[in-house]
Amino acid sequence: MTRADVDRLFQLLAIYRPGDARADNKQLRAAWALVLEPYPPEAVREAVAAWFRERSWWPDVSDIARRCPVQPEAPRPSAAVRGDALRQREAQRSWYLRHREALQKAGLPTVSAYLQQGGTYRDYYNLLEESGFKEEPYE
């Protein structure tokens, strides 16, 4: 749930409990937003409706959270996957630096510099082809 979702939820609570000062309490809204952040808004609204079907007093946020479905934790990438990603990023960076250096030696601009000067991708690759520049393959 977002803060905007909690604001809408407190509008609903104000309907269930008209005149209750808690409906306008910004600190209470912030606390509810923190606790209910992992839950989808629909589940929270259903939990509030279920609460008021059984009780008429203002709920505690934990009462509502207990009525919401448990959200599965997002899987964390393994150390091997993180290591592979770091190696891939380093390989890309290394290739980019070698490529940029080769362009400089050939007196050619990078694609971003060429585009900033108003050129197009097609013109840039035509320029590379006309100059005989051989791009090192990325591995």
Side-chain angles (χ1 to χ4, degrees):
M1 291 209 29
T2 65
R3 287 296 296 265
D5 294 327
V6 172
D7 288 343
R8 284 188 291 278
L9 179 66
F10 269 62
Q11 291 171 354
L12 178 63
L13 287 165
I15 293 169
Y16 288 123
R17 300 280 307 158
D20 195 316
R22 288 174 281 203
D24 295 324
N25 186 322
K26 292 187 186 313
Q27 289 177 326
L28 187 60
R29 286 181 189 215
W32 277 53
L34 185 63
V35 172
L36 298 175
E37 187 264 333
Y39 303 108
E42 310 81 46
V44 174
R45 279 193 302 274
E46 288 174 20
V48 168
W51 171 268
F52 281 106
R53 281 187 209 109
E54 300 168 8
R55 295 167 180 87
S56 61
W57 61 89
W58 186 277
D60 186 76
V61 68
S62 62
D63 296 325
I64 302 304
R66 277 193 296 275
R67 291 174 177 262
C68 294
V70 176
Q71 298 296 305
E73 285 191 35
R76 296 192 57 178
S78 68
V81 169
R82 288 190 307 269
D84 288 345
L86 290 173
R87 282 187 290 281
Q88 179 68 22
R89 185 176 71 188
E90 185 53 39
Q92 289 171 342
R93 180 172 161 63
S94 177
W95 176 88
Y96 171 75
L97 293 174
R98 287 191 313 272
H99 177 73
R100 193 172 69 182
E101 186 179 323
L103 284 171
Q104 286 175 346
K105 284 182 182 176
L108 297 168
T110 62
V111 67
S112 60
Y114 191 80
L115 294 173
Q116 286 176 350
Q117 296 170 5
T120 65
Y121 283 107
R122 179 174 299 205
D123 291 341
Y124 180 73
Y125 289 106
N126 287 340
L127 173 70
L128 292 182
E129 191 173 296
E130 290 168 4
S131 70
F133 182 79
K134 297 293 183 203
E135 192 170 21
E136 175 187 333
Y138 176 74
E139 298 172 6

